[in-house]
Amino acid sequence: MNEKCFALKKVMTRTGNCACRDGNCPGYSACPFYKPVWKFERDLELKFAKLAALPESTQRHIAYKYYRGLMPWRRDMA
Ligand code: SF4
């Protein structure tokens, strides 16, 4: 399976290249960071479901520390 890597579709960089290897993508079979877009999105949904199940105070702590105060797992991106 040779699907487009999530890093080329979902991660914005100034050059448009993947930042993992300074723009020198060795291809999916040689890169330990490769992940197809569908798997990236599935993993993100699983991560958000876990975050949403945490206590409110823990969610707020994580939001302020890692998400600039936002809670994207609640679709709270305004
Ligand atoms: S395969 Fe690796 S180097 Fe290539 S775009 Fe994906 S993460 Fe970046």
Side-chain angles (χ1 to χ4, degrees):
M1 185 184 313
N2 187 3
E3 292 182 54
K4 200 113 175 164
C5 182
F6 83 99
L8 297 174
K9 288 252 184 200
K10 299 287 183 182
V11 181
M12 295 295 157
T13 62
R14 261 186 252 144
T15 61
N17 293 324
C18 174
C20 291
R21 303 253 178 140
D22 295 328
N24 296 317
C25 177
Y28 75 99
S29 60
C31 178
F33 304 110
Y34 169 77
K35 189 184 284 193
V37 173
W38 68 266
K39 190 172 182 193
F40 170 79
E41 290 176 344
R42 186 201 62 190
D43 291 350
L44 190 63
E45 286 302 318
L46 291 172
K47 180 174 83 172
F48 282 176
K50 284 182 183 176
L51 287 169
L54 293 172
E56 179 72 22
S57 60
T58 306
Q59 288 186 47
R60 287 191 188 286
H61 175 75
I62 291 170
Y64 284 113
K65 185 151 186 164
Y66 300 107
Y67 292 91
R68 291 179 289 150
L70 301 174
M71 295 183 180
W73 54 93
R74 292 184 179 179
R75 310 297 185 247
D76 173 26
M77 295 299 287

XYZ file of all heavy atoms in Angstrom:
648
model
N 0.845 -1.178 0.000
C 0.000 0.000 0.000
C 0.888 1.237 0.000
O 1.770 1.381 0.812
C -0.894 -0.020 1.237
C -1.895 1.097 1.251
S -2.908 1.213 2.751
C -3.437 -0.456 3.011
N 0.669 2.118 -0.930
C 1.459 3.334 -1.022
C 0.534 4.540 -1.048
O 0.292 5.131 -2.086
C 2.341 3.296 -2.266
C 3.295 4.466 -2.306
O 3.344 5.266 -1.384
N 4.042 4.568 -3.370
N 0.031 4.901 0.092
C -0.847 6.062 0.186
C -0.034 7.282 0.552
O 1.038 7.174 1.112
C -1.916 5.830 1.249
C -2.904 4.771 0.886
C -3.953 4.642 1.963
O -4.565 5.651 2.315
O -4.117 3.524 2.445
N -0.587 8.439 0.262
C 0.082 9.690 0.592
C 0.232 9.809 2.110
O -0.683 9.514 2.858
C -0.765 10.843 0.082
C -0.018 12.105 -0.069
C 0.071 12.454 -1.518
C 0.724 13.782 -1.721
N 1.155 13.960 -3.080
N 1.382 10.260 2.524
C 1.675 10.391 3.949
C 0.913 11.581 4.545
O 0.772 12.622 3.912
C 3.171 10.581 4.133
S 3.654 10.684 5.868
N 0.469 11.424 5.775
C -0.259 12.498 6.456
C 0.578 13.767 6.553
O 0.044 14.872 6.522
C -0.667 12.060 7.872
C 0.423 12.224 8.891
C 0.442 13.311 9.733
C 1.451 11.311 8.973
C 1.448 13.477 10.667
C 2.478 11.467 9.898
C 2.467 12.555 10.746
N 1.901 13.609 6.662
C 2.781 14.769 6.830
C 2.738 15.689 5.608
O 2.977 16.889 5.726
C 4.210 14.311 7.093
N 2.412 15.150 4.455
C 2.323 15.965 3.250
C 0.948 16.587 3.093
O 0.782 17.569 2.391
C 2.637 15.114 2.019
C 4.054 14.544 1.990
C 4.221 13.607 0.810
C 5.078 15.652 1.951
N -0.041 16.008 3.755
C -1.415 16.491 3.614
C -1.876 17.323 4.802
O -2.675 18.227 4.656
C -2.362 15.291 3.495
C -2.277 14.572 2.191
C -3.518 14.879 1.442
C -3.555 14.114 0.149
N -4.469 14.727 -0.773
N -1.396 16.991 6.009
C -1.964 17.563 7.226
C -1.038 18.496 7.984
O -1.489 19.220 8.853
C -2.370 16.429 8.185
C -3.406 15.500 7.625
C -4.744 16.193 7.593
C -5.832 15.259 7.109
N -7.115 15.938 7.045
N 0.245 18.447 7.732
C 1.197 19.261 8.482
C 1.681 20.394 7.595
O 2.259 20.152 6.538
C 2.396 18.413 8.961
C 3.363 19.265 9.751
C 1.918 17.240 9.791
N 1.406 21.617 8.029
C 1.798 22.775 7.238
C 3.239 23.179 7.559
O 3.591 23.347 8.713
C 0.885 23.961 7.550
C -0.542 23.735 7.154
S -0.621 23.586 5.373
C -2.132 22.675 5.192
N 4.038 23.301 6.544
C 5.389 23.825 6.703
C 5.571 24.958 5.710
O 4.809 25.086 4.754
C 6.461 22.745 6.444
O 6.340 22.308 5.100
C 6.304 21.575 7.404
N 6.587 25.761 5.912
C 6.828 26.895 5.023
C 7.120 26.443 3.597
O 6.687 27.048 2.640
C 7.984 27.735 5.551
C 7.497 28.943 6.308
C 8.623 29.837 6.702
N 8.777 29.694 8.141
C 9.910 29.710 8.790
N 11.027 29.900 8.159
N 9.946 29.561 10.081
N 7.867 25.358 3.458
C 8.260 24.911 2.131
C 7.235 23.984 1.487
O 7.286 23.749 0.284
C 9.589 24.137 2.211
O 9.393 22.997 3.045
C 10.694 25.011 2.761
N 6.332 23.446 2.290
C 5.377 22.490 1.753
C 5.895 21.069 1.819
O 5.197 20.125 1.479
N 7.158 20.919 2.237
C 7.743 19.588 2.393
C 7.574 19.108 3.819
O 7.306 19.885 4.723
C 9.238 19.616 2.062
C 9.490 19.906 0.617
O 8.743 19.466 -0.247
N 10.520 20.675 0.348
N 7.781 17.829 4.018
C 7.713 17.279 5.363
C 8.891 17.801 6.180
O 10.026 17.854 5.701
C 7.765 15.757 5.291
S 7.854 14.996 6.913
N 8.616 18.168 7.445
C 9.665 18.686 8.310
C 10.471 17.563 8.960
O 11.533 17.812 9.528
C 9.058 19.572 9.385
N 9.980 16.341 8.883
C 10.652 15.228 9.568
C 12.091 15.038 9.099
O 12.980 14.801 9.871
C 9.906 13.924 9.337
S 8.324 13.845 10.149
N 12.285 15.120 7.830
C 13.610 14.820 7.275
C 14.140 15.971 6.435
O 14.783 15.750 5.412
C 13.511 13.574 6.409
C 12.984 12.362 7.137
C 14.113 11.436 7.343
N 13.707 10.272 8.082
C 14.143 9.059 7.784
N 14.904 8.859 6.761
N 13.806 8.056 8.535
N 13.832 17.185 6.853
C 14.279 18.383 6.130
C 13.906 18.333 4.650
O 14.681 18.751 3.792
C 15.801 18.562 6.276
C 16.197 18.843 7.706
O 15.391 19.482 8.409
O 17.294 18.425 8.113
N 12.743 17.805 4.362
C 12.270 17.789 2.980
C 12.790 16.632 2.157
O 12.468 16.529 0.976
N 13.590 15.777 2.753
C 14.127 14.636 2.008
C 13.356 13.366 2.374
O 13.803 12.558 3.161
C 15.619 14.452 2.322
C 16.423 15.635 1.869
O 16.223 16.148 0.785
N 17.328 16.101 2.726
N 12.208 13.220 1.790
C 11.360 12.069 2.094
C 11.934 10.817 1.423
O 12.084 10.776 0.207
C 9.949 12.331 1.598
S 8.856 10.923 1.855
N 12.243 9.798 2.217
C 12.797 8.574 1.629
C 11.717 7.630 1.112
O 12.030 6.576 0.572
C 13.537 7.947 2.814
C 12.721 8.355 3.992
C 12.196 9.734 3.673
N 10.457 8.005 1.297
C 9.365 7.124 0.869
C 8.800 6.358 2.041
O 9.453 6.200 3.072
N 7.583 5.910 1.869
C 6.881 5.319 3.011
C 7.542 4.072 3.557
O 7.458 3.792 4.751
C 5.427 5.033 2.629
C 5.255 3.844 1.728
C 4.887 2.615 2.259
C 5.455 3.934 0.365
C 4.724 1.515 1.453
C 5.298 2.859 -0.445
C 4.927 1.640 0.091
O 4.783 0.567 -0.719
N 8.195 3.300 2.712
C 8.764 2.033 3.185
C 10.041 2.245 3.996
O 10.449 1.367 4.744
C 9.048 1.109 2.011
O 9.964 1.724 1.141
N 10.666 3.423 3.876
C 11.929 3.670 4.567
C 11.823 4.664 5.704
O 12.816 4.948 6.368
C 12.969 4.159 3.559
N 10.630 5.186 5.931
C 10.490 6.224 6.961
C 9.710 5.687 8.163
O 8.584 5.223 8.014
C 9.771 7.439 6.386
S 9.527 8.727 7.618
N 10.273 5.791 9.360
C 9.565 5.309 10.553
C 8.401 6.213 10.962
O 7.589 5.817 11.786
C 10.660 5.304 11.632
C 11.647 6.311 11.178
C 11.627 6.283 9.675
N 8.322 7.407 10.386
C 7.253 8.343 10.741
C 6.067 8.268 9.791
O 5.061 8.932 9.985
C 7.786 9.780 10.760
C 8.945 9.954 11.677
C 10.217 10.185 11.171
C 8.783 9.870 13.045
C 11.295 10.338 12.011
C 9.856 10.023 13.899
C 11.127 10.253 13.382
N 6.186 7.484 8.737
C 5.116 7.404 7.739
C 3.817 6.928 8.365
O 3.791 5.992 9.171
C 5.495 6.444 6.609
C 4.319 6.138 5.714
C 3.898 7.056 4.765
C 3.606 4.952 5.854
C 2.808 6.797 3.956
C 2.512 4.678 5.056
C 2.120 5.605 4.112
O 1.029 5.345 3.331
N 2.725 7.597 7.974
C 1.398 7.171 8.389
C 0.417 7.654 7.313
O 0.439 8.838 6.952
C 1.051 7.805 9.734
C -0.214 7.260 10.378
C -0.559 8.001 11.656
C 0.311 7.599 12.808
N -0.223 8.094 14.125
N -0.422 6.761 6.786
C -1.392 7.228 5.796
C -2.410 8.166 6.433
O -2.647 8.118 7.642
C -2.043 5.940 5.289
C -1.768 4.915 6.314
C -0.515 5.335 7.027
N -3.009 9.014 5.622
C -3.937 10.025 6.120
C -5.088 9.387 6.896
O -5.463 9.871 7.966
C -4.476 10.887 4.955
C -5.564 11.826 5.440
C -3.349 11.682 4.329
N -5.652 8.302 6.379
C -6.800 7.677 7.061
C -6.417 7.224 8.459
O -7.206 7.342 9.390
C -7.362 6.509 6.245
C -6.451 5.317 6.155
C -5.558 5.045 5.154
C -6.315 4.252 7.112
N -4.878 3.887 5.432
C -5.327 3.373 6.604
C -6.915 3.959 8.327
C -4.932 2.218 7.306
C -6.525 2.815 9.012
C -5.549 1.963 8.497
N -5.170 6.721 8.634
C -4.744 6.252 9.946
C -4.476 7.441 10.882
O -4.791 7.396 12.067
C -3.492 5.384 9.818
C -3.139 4.668 11.094
C -2.028 3.667 10.884
C -1.761 2.956 12.192
N -0.523 2.213 12.166
N -3.913 8.487 10.339
C -3.688 9.707 11.123
C -5.016 10.227 11.674
O -5.135 10.556 12.854
C -3.015 10.767 10.245
C -2.940 12.123 10.868
C -1.982 12.415 11.816
C -3.843 13.120 10.509
C -1.918 13.674 12.404
C -3.785 14.371 11.086
C -2.815 14.647 12.030
N -6.032 10.280 10.804
C -7.339 10.800 11.222
C -8.008 9.866 12.228
O -8.634 10.322 13.190
C -8.223 11.031 9.997
C -7.716 12.198 9.185
C -8.468 12.440 7.902
O -9.203 11.538 7.454
O -8.306 13.518 7.338
N -7.882 8.569 12.025
C -8.454 7.611 12.977
C -7.769 7.740 14.342
O -8.428 7.778 15.384
C -8.309 6.183 12.445
C -9.014 5.154 13.334
C -8.498 3.781 13.148
N -7.085 3.735 13.528
C -6.291 2.704 13.294
N -6.741 1.662 12.640
N -5.033 2.711 13.683
N -6.434 7.820 14.346
C -5.681 7.958 15.598
C -6.038 9.266 16.318
O -6.119 9.300 17.545
C -4.178 7.905 15.338
C -3.712 6.535 14.900
O -4.516 5.573 14.970
O -2.545 6.416 14.477
N -6.244 10.321 15.537
C -6.622 11.610 16.123
C -7.993 11.509 16.800
O -8.189 12.022 17.908
C -6.634 12.692 15.043
C -6.774 14.127 15.509
C -5.590 14.542 16.369
C -6.900 15.058 14.312
N -8.939 10.845 16.145
C -10.268 10.672 16.742
C -10.187 9.853 18.025
O -10.871 10.158 19.008
C -11.226 10.007 15.744
C -11.672 10.936 14.634
C -12.365 12.203 15.150
O -13.186 12.096 16.084
O -12.070 13.289 14.638
N -9.359 8.811 18.036
C -9.183 7.997 19.245
C -8.571 8.829 20.364
O -8.978 8.740 21.524
C -8.311 6.779 18.939
C -8.943 5.715 18.045
C -7.903 4.653 17.666
C -10.123 5.057 18.742
N -7.588 9.646 20.010
C -6.937 10.509 21.012
C -7.934 11.511 21.582
O -8.005 11.696 22.802
C -5.756 11.248 20.373
C -5.009 12.157 21.320
C -3.777 12.747 20.689
C -4.134 13.952 19.863
N -2.968 14.689 19.359
N -8.734 12.109 20.709
C -9.725 13.086 21.169
C -10.786 12.420 22.039
O -11.260 13.020 23.008
C -10.374 13.784 19.976
C -9.511 14.857 19.357
C -9.925 15.520 18.217
C -8.287 15.216 19.910
C -9.145 16.516 17.641
C -7.495 16.194 19.348
C -7.933 16.854 18.202
N -11.173 11.209 21.722
C -12.165 10.498 22.543
C -11.608 10.248 23.941
O -12.322 10.390 24.939
C -12.557 9.188 21.868
N -10.332 9.899 24.029
C -9.702 9.681 25.340
C -9.634 10.987 26.128
O -9.892 11.011 27.330
C -8.293 9.104 25.172
C -8.280 7.646 24.816
C -6.857 7.141 24.722
C -6.856 5.685 24.297
N -5.499 5.171 24.109
N -9.272 12.074 25.450
C -9.191 13.370 26.126
C -10.570 13.805 26.629
O -10.695 14.313 27.749
C -8.622 14.432 25.178
C -7.129 14.325 24.892
C -6.731 15.246 23.744
C -6.318 14.661 26.132
N -11.602 13.575 25.834
C -12.955 13.990 26.213
C -13.467 13.211 27.421
O -14.374 13.681 28.121
C -13.900 13.817 25.032
N -12.909 12.036 27.665
C -13.360 11.209 28.792
C -12.652 11.573 30.103
O -13.028 11.068 31.159
C -13.122 9.738 28.459
N -11.665 12.442 30.043
C -10.920 12.827 31.251
C -11.748 13.795 32.101
O -12.659 14.459 31.584
C -9.603 13.498 30.860
C -8.569 12.605 30.176
C -7.406 13.450 29.672
C -8.071 11.531 31.126
N -11.423 13.926 33.389
C -12.104 14.910 34.235
C -11.909 16.331 33.685
O -10.894 16.618 33.035
C -11.404 14.761 35.591
C -10.772 13.423 35.565
C -10.444 13.129 34.140
N -12.872 17.190 33.965
C -12.867 18.556 33.437
C -11.556 19.299 33.743
O -10.981 19.950 32.879
C -14.058 19.320 34.033
C -14.158 20.762 33.586
C -14.591 20.900 32.131
O -15.199 19.965 31.578
O -14.295 21.960 31.553
N -11.087 19.185 34.987
C -9.882 19.929 35.376
C -8.661 19.430 34.593
O -7.797 20.218 34.202
C -9.635 19.812 36.871
O -9.449 18.459 37.229
N -8.595 18.143 34.346
C -7.482 17.590 33.570
C -7.562 18.063 32.115
O -6.548 18.408 31.500
C -7.509 16.050 33.623
O -7.542 15.639 34.986
C -6.284 15.457 32.950
N -8.774 18.089 31.576
C -8.941 18.581 30.207
C -8.491 20.035 30.089
O -7.821 20.416 29.132
C -10.396 18.463 29.772
C -10.838 17.036 29.517
C -12.233 16.981 28.949
O -12.555 17.720 28.023
N -13.059 16.106 29.509
N -8.859 20.848 31.069
C -8.459 22.258 31.031
C -6.937 22.402 31.123
O -6.334 23.210 30.416
C -9.107 23.028 32.178
C -10.559 23.271 31.981
C -11.103 24.256 33.008
N -12.547 24.335 32.919
C -13.196 24.964 31.937
N -12.519 25.571 30.997
N -14.514 24.976 31.918
N -6.336 21.599 31.987
C -4.878 21.642 32.131
C -4.199 21.299 30.795
O -3.278 21.999 30.343
C -4.437 20.659 33.217
C -2.958 20.537 33.355
N -2.186 21.506 33.951
C -2.096 19.574 32.925
C -0.911 21.142 33.901
N -0.836 19.973 33.287
N -4.646 20.246 30.144
C -4.070 19.824 28.860
C -4.328 20.880 27.798
O -3.444 21.205 26.987
C -4.635 18.456 28.453
C -4.107 17.378 29.409
C -4.277 18.117 27.003
C -4.776 16.035 29.275
N -5.524 21.457 27.805
C -5.855 22.482 26.814
C -4.917 23.681 26.931
O -4.391 24.167 25.930
C -7.305 22.920 26.990
N -4.687 24.148 28.159
C -3.824 25.318 28.334
C -2.366 24.997 28.049
O -1.629 25.821 27.519
C -3.985 25.893 29.742
C -5.273 26.659 29.882
C -6.292 26.203 30.696
C -5.475 27.837 29.164
C -7.488 26.891 30.800
C -6.668 28.530 29.259
C -7.666 28.054 30.075
O -8.849 28.739 30.157
N -1.955 23.789 28.389
C -0.550 23.438 28.225
C -0.186 23.120 26.768
O 0.894 23.489 26.296
C -0.216 22.236 29.104
C 1.253 21.878 29.080
C 1.712 21.233 30.338
C 3.206 21.046 30.299
N 3.787 20.782 31.570
N -1.093 22.437 26.051
C -0.717 21.946 24.719
C -1.548 22.494 23.560
O -1.156 22.341 22.407
C -0.810 20.417 24.688
C 0.090 19.757 25.696
C -0.434 19.162 26.829
C 1.478 19.749 25.516
C 0.389 18.562 27.768
C 2.305 19.157 26.441
C 1.755 18.565 27.567
O 2.570 17.981 28.491
N -2.698 23.081 23.831
C -3.597 23.502 22.748
C -3.960 24.981 22.824
O -5.005 25.372 22.341
C -4.869 22.643 22.755
C -4.632 21.201 22.381
C -4.349 20.246 23.351
C -4.672 20.790 21.058
C -4.123 18.922 23.023
C -4.462 19.477 20.712
C -4.182 18.543 21.698
O -3.965 17.231 21.361
N -3.107 25.797 23.411
C -3.336 27.243 23.525
C -4.721 27.563 24.109
O -5.392 28.492 23.675
C -3.164 27.929 22.168
C -1.720 27.914 21.702
C -1.537 28.551 20.361
N -2.118 27.687 19.342
C -2.641 28.107 18.207
N -2.648 29.387 17.941
N -3.133 27.268 17.346
N -5.133 26.739 25.053
C -6.408 26.977 25.723
C -7.621 26.415 25.011
O -8.732 26.485 25.523
N -7.432 25.884 23.825
C -8.553 25.325 23.056
C -8.741 23.849 23.357
O -7.818 23.179 23.816
C -8.308 25.521 21.559
C -8.149 26.976 21.114
C -7.771 27.021 19.644
C -9.424 27.746 21.370
N -9.915 23.359 23.081
C -10.231 21.953 23.283
C -10.782 21.377 21.983
O -11.998 21.227 21.822
C -11.254 21.775 24.410
C -10.747 22.188 25.757
S -12.004 21.839 27.009
C -11.168 22.405 28.469
N -9.912 21.065 21.041
C -10.395 20.572 19.751
C -11.155 19.266 19.857
O -11.946 18.945 18.969
C -9.105 20.410 18.926
C -8.004 20.358 19.924
C -8.460 21.164 21.102
N -10.949 18.502 20.920
C -11.694 17.256 21.082
C -13.160 17.522 21.396
O -13.985 16.637 21.310
C -11.083 16.381 22.185
C -10.909 17.057 23.503
C -11.790 17.060 24.540
C -9.784 17.810 23.947
N -11.285 17.782 25.595
C -10.050 18.243 25.257
C -8.565 18.169 23.357
C -9.141 19.016 25.984
C -7.677 18.933 24.085
C -7.969 19.345 25.368
N -13.495 18.780 21.729
C -14.890 19.176 21.912
C -15.371 19.993 20.725
O -16.412 20.627 20.813
C -15.038 20.026 23.172
C -14.797 19.292 24.452
C -15.068 20.250 25.589
N -14.897 19.630 26.870
C -15.066 20.276 28.012
N -15.397 21.549 28.003
N -14.901 19.659 29.147
N -14.553 20.017 19.701
C -14.832 20.859 18.526
C -14.885 22.317 18.931
O -15.613 23.115 18.352
C -16.119 20.446 17.805
C -16.224 18.987 17.483
C -15.123 18.567 16.520
N -15.285 17.184 16.117
C -14.427 16.202 16.455
N -13.382 16.481 17.192
N -14.615 14.985 16.030
N -14.086 22.654 19.970
C -14.053 24.000 20.519
C -12.852 24.728 19.933
O -11.826 24.861 20.555
C -13.927 23.920 22.049
C -13.716 25.293 22.679
O -14.136 26.291 22.073
O -13.129 25.341 23.764
N -12.974 25.150 18.687
C -11.838 25.792 18.018
C -12.110 27.264 17.744
O -11.389 27.892 16.998
C -11.524 25.064 16.714
C -11.046 23.648 16.924
S -9.533 23.544 17.887
C -8.344 24.136 16.708
N -13.161 27.837 18.309
C -13.478 29.245 18.039
C -12.560 30.172 18.782
O -11.951 29.872 19.733
C -14.907 29.524 18.419
S 7.201 9.331 4.773
Fe 8.335 10.287 6.445
S 9.651 11.866 5.508
Fe 8.081 11.239 4.013
S 6.435 12.735 4.261
Fe 5.952 10.966 5.595
S 6.799 11.455 7.587
Fe 7.723 12.822 6.082
